Amino acid sequence: MGSKHNSSGNRTRSTLSVFVVISLCCFFYLLGAWQKSGFGKGDKIAFQVTKQKDCNVFPDLNSDLNFESHHSIVEIVEPYEPKAKEFKPCDVKYADYTPCQEQDRAMKFPRENMVYRERHCPPEEEKLHCLIPAREGYMTPFPWPKGRDYVHYANVPYKSLTVEKASQNWVQFQGNVFKFPGGGTMFPQGADAYIDELASVIPIADGSVRTALDTGCGVASWGAYLMKRNVLAMSFAPRDNHEAQVQFALERGVPAVIGVLGSIHLPYPSRAFDMAQCSRCLIPWTENDGMYLKEVDRVLRPGGYWILSGPPINWKTYYKTWKRSKEDVQAEQKQIEALAESLCWDKKYEKGDMAIWKKKVNTKSCRRKSIDVCQTEDADDVWYKKMDTCVTPSPEVTNANEVAVGELKFPARLYAVPPRIVNGLVVGVTTKSYQEDNKLWKKHVNVYKRINGLIGTTRYRNVMDMNAGLGGFAAALESRKLWVMNVVPTIAKNTLGVIYERGLIGIYHDWCEGFSTYPRSYDLIHASGVFSLYKNGCKLEDILLEMDRILRPEGTVIFRDEVDVLNKVRKIVGGMRWDAKIMDHEDGPLVPEKILVVVKQYWVAGSGNSTSNDE
């Protein structure tokens, strides 16, 4: 009996000890969380997430945020939150507003060298502080690959191209949709046949060519059909009389921006593209001492290809149709040939309306005549910088057979250490830190997919990373179902060259200004550290309104930032018709960095909250 009594007492004391230890652990855990996570600074939203009974770091969001396309509203109201400033809808006349490329402002600038078609952003007092509306009847774009060929008329209600380009198979109007047969001015039989001809000369199939540039892209059918061959094309065209070219491209799910070869550098790093083309783009390549062709040379990697289809190629056949003299077009082609030779480009092909040149793999293999070489210390410092007529040098090599940018093939190059990092050209980035960054973003993206199971499906086609760093987010997401516009802010470390060397695409941009795109361009936006980066640069409100402009109705944004910053963001978006949820870092509540997920509500011009049915 005594033995049983002692055993029972020991069990009681043991249970009590365990209870005391657990209580102390919980107390110190909560104390540490309160001190380190910012809860003591008014972090009410994060606290609501972390105090859930099941203690999951990532709660099920489906009850709060619906990522499916549904055209209905799910209102989230935190009763203890102060009422956010409410942003009103803009007038419907702003439905296709592009802040830095608006026609009225553009017409005040010189026509010379296309200056008036370049970026001209509104001053602070002229910025819109309202929400850009979608037109009535707006619909979620068709999923890829159907979206490549069909666009809802209600989303881009412009028929001019169906008339102007009717004979060239650009676009057709059928009922309530536009159909894109894949044609172009120089390939009326279809982009596939055109690309097949290119592939007879250019090694597209083996991964040697991954990134491409389309100058004067039209509706970007070239880029659209390159995608099934695993080539990413960055297409651009000015906002001109051919209404909505770039808007059509983006609505189809093809990478494109509003842009022009004018007086300033293109917003891309040197040695970025494996291939570039001009398909009747009407760029005056021989003017200004060949300045525009030299700019293409700057962004074309050693060993890359340039395609010219259209004037003046095949001038003997078409000079009368072009209403130009034989002598004039013959002289223009001779000038282009001479320019290409001075740039160390070898002509590889000319047949019919097409000619193809290949840039030498290094300068040692080129016996270049006397030419003005740029003396700039940084050929990638191009934001709003004037274009000049010098030639950008390629990296030095040790022998005439060495490829100046290394042997880059996709998909191996996606995770191989990029040449810029190997050669120590990115300050503070080493092989080790690059590899660690890749591991980190694989982890982050896996978490995002747990939060939102539609990431990686055809629901999100056009994706943007607002602060791309080394491109780890885009690399972890890599799929033919989507593409990522990697934006490197002009005030951040210049890593865009690394991103291109990985076989990804992107652009420089200052988020204090409007992005060079139409409203409703992107399905999913990723913003990691953007607001900490710009906390002393410009108003958070302005950046968020620009994000709202370029985000599709029912599109999603994932923010990753310090908790204090995200609380400010959360307060602003409370008045922007965004449904929001903030949650802890995947490593737990002690990490000051948090994640904020928002879904933009569906609404259209003319009513506060409108609904529509998908087709």
Side-chain angles (χ1 to χ4, degrees), residues 483-499:
W483 57 271
V484 179
M485 180 69 76
N486 291 282
V487 181
V488 172
T490 54
I491 63 172
K493 181 179 292 185
N494 189 349
T495 54
L496 192 54
V498 167
I499 288 169

Side-chain angles (χ1 to χ4, degrees), residues 65 69 122 133 156 170 192 209 249-250 257 308 318 470 480 500 503:
L65 300 181
S69 176
V156 194
W170 277 34
D192 262 339
V209 172
L250 288 158
V257 292
L308 176 60
Y318 293 113
L470 299 173
R480 296 198 188 191
Y500 273 95

Side-chain angles (χ1 to χ4, degrees), residues 329-546:
V329 287
Q330 184 180 21
E332 184 182 345
Q333 177 152 354
K334 285 183 177 179
Q335 283 181 284
I336 289 175
E337 302 275 9
L339 267 170
E341 185 179 355
S342 72
L343 295 170
C344 288
W345 296 4
D346 292 331
K347 192 173 186 180
K348 296 295 185 182
Y349 181 83
E350 181 174 345
K351 184 179 180 182
D353 303 335
M354 180 194 294
I356 302 174
W357 284 264
K358 182 180 182 182
K359 184 176 178 178
K360 292 279 192 181
V361 297
N362 59 53
T363 53
K364 282 186 180 293
S365 60
C366 171
R367 297 179 180 178
R368 178 180 278 160
K369 296 179 182 178
S370 177
I371 194 167
D372 183 19
V373 177
C374 300
Q375 301 302 312
T376 178
E377 294 183 1
D378 186 359
D380 296 349
D381 182 17
V382 293
W383 185 247
Y384 284 128
K385 297 295 175 64
K386 289 288 184 181
M387 224 183 287
D388 47 39
T389 58
C390 59
V391 176
T392 304
S394 295
E396 293 293 328
V397 295
T398 56
N399 62 73
N401 296 319
E402 184 181 348
V403 180
V405 292
E407 295 287 353
L408 302 172
K409 287 194 177 184
F410 198 83
R413 66 193 270 191
L414 186 62
Y415 282 105
V417 183
R420 277 174 164 86
I421 294 177
V422 171
N423 296 323
L425 300 180
V426 185
V427 177
V429 180
T430 64
T431 295
K432 182 179 179 181
S433 65
Y434 167 74
Q435 292 169 339
E436 289 174 348
D437 186 77
N438 286 332
K439 291 179 183 177
L440 180 64
W441 280 108
K442 285 180 179 178
K443 175 182 175 180
H444 287 338
V445 168
N446 284 336
V447 167
Y448 295 158
K449 288 179 177 179
R450 283 165 48 199
I451 293 172
N452 179 354
L454 295 175
I455 294 175
T457 73
T458 56
R459 174 67 181 85
Y460 302 128
R461 172 67 183 171
N462 300 1
V463 181
M464 174 182 282
D465 191 354
M466 293 177 65
N467 185 20
L470 299 173
F473 170 77
L477 266 185
E478 170 58 26
S479 166
R480 296 198 188 191
K481 296 176 183 176
L482 57 83
W483 57 271
V484 179
M485 180 69 76
N486 291 282
V487 181
V488 172
T490 54
I491 63 172
K493 181 179 292 185
N494 189 349
T495 54
L496 192 54
V498 167
I499 288 169
Y500 273 95
E501 287 179 341
R502 300 185 72 168
L504 304 168
I505 58 172
I507 195 168
Y508 295 115
H509 183 63
D510 180 358
W511 283 113
C512 293
E513 301 179 354
F515 193 73
S516 292
T517 193
Y518 285 85
R520 303 171 298 281
S521 293
Y522 289 89
D523 306 297
L524 173 66
I525 297 176
H526 180 243
S528 176
V530 171
F531 294 94
S532 289
L533 183 66
Y534 278 95
K535 62 184 177 184
N536 297 319
C538 51
K539 297 177 183 176
L540 300 189
E541 174 183 306
D542 288 348
I543 299 176
L544 286 165
L545 286 171
E546 176 61 5

Side-chain angles (χ1 to χ4, degrees), residues 54-196:
D54 62 4
C55 299
N56 288 333
V57 175
F58 296 107
D60 181 8
L61 297 182
N62 291 334
S63 60
D64 293 330
L65 300 181
N66 192 339
F67 298 105
E68 296 282 0
S69 176
H70 54 81
H71 302 305
S72 62
I73 304 305
V74 179
E75 187 73 20
I76 296 178
V77 179
E78 302 287 353
Y80 47 79
E81 281 282 305
K83 187 173 178 61
K85 171 185 173 182
E86 183 180 353
F87 293 90
K88 302 294 184 181
C90 303
D91 190 280
V92 70
K93 69 181 180 180
Y94 293 109
D96 294 326
Y97 180 61
T98 55
C100 299
Q101 278 101 359
E102 279 299 282
Q103 181 77 354
D104 291 344
R105 185 175 293 105
M107 299 309 290
K108 299 175 183 178
F109 291 86
R111 306 294 195 278
E112 182 184 5
N113 292 336
M114 297 292 284
V115 169
Y116 77 118
R117 293 297 184 197
E118 295 179 328
R119 290 174 54 85
H120 303 291
C121 300
E124 185 65 33
E125 62 273 14
E126 293 182 21
K127 289 182 178 179
L128 296 181
H129 290 278
C130 50
L131 305 176
I132 302 298
R135 286 188 176 84
E136 188 174 356
Y138 177 87
M139 295 182 176
T140 302
F142 294 107
W144 191 268
K146 183 177 180 180
R148 183 193 67 184
D149 302 329
Y150 294 94
V151 165
H152 296 292
Y153 171 76
N155 293 10
V156 194
Y158 301 111
K159 296 182 183 179
S160 61
L161 285 177
T162 66
V163 177
E164 293 182 33
K165 303 295 181 180
S167 63
Q168 297 165 12
N169 254 356
W170 277 34
V171 57
Q172 302 165 357
F173 182 59
Q174 298 181 352
N176 60 355
V177 299
F178 290 108
K179 181 180 179 181
F180 296 83
T185 305
M186 299 312 302
F187 39 95
Q189 303 307 312
D192 262 339
Y194 180 83
I195 295 169
D196 283 341

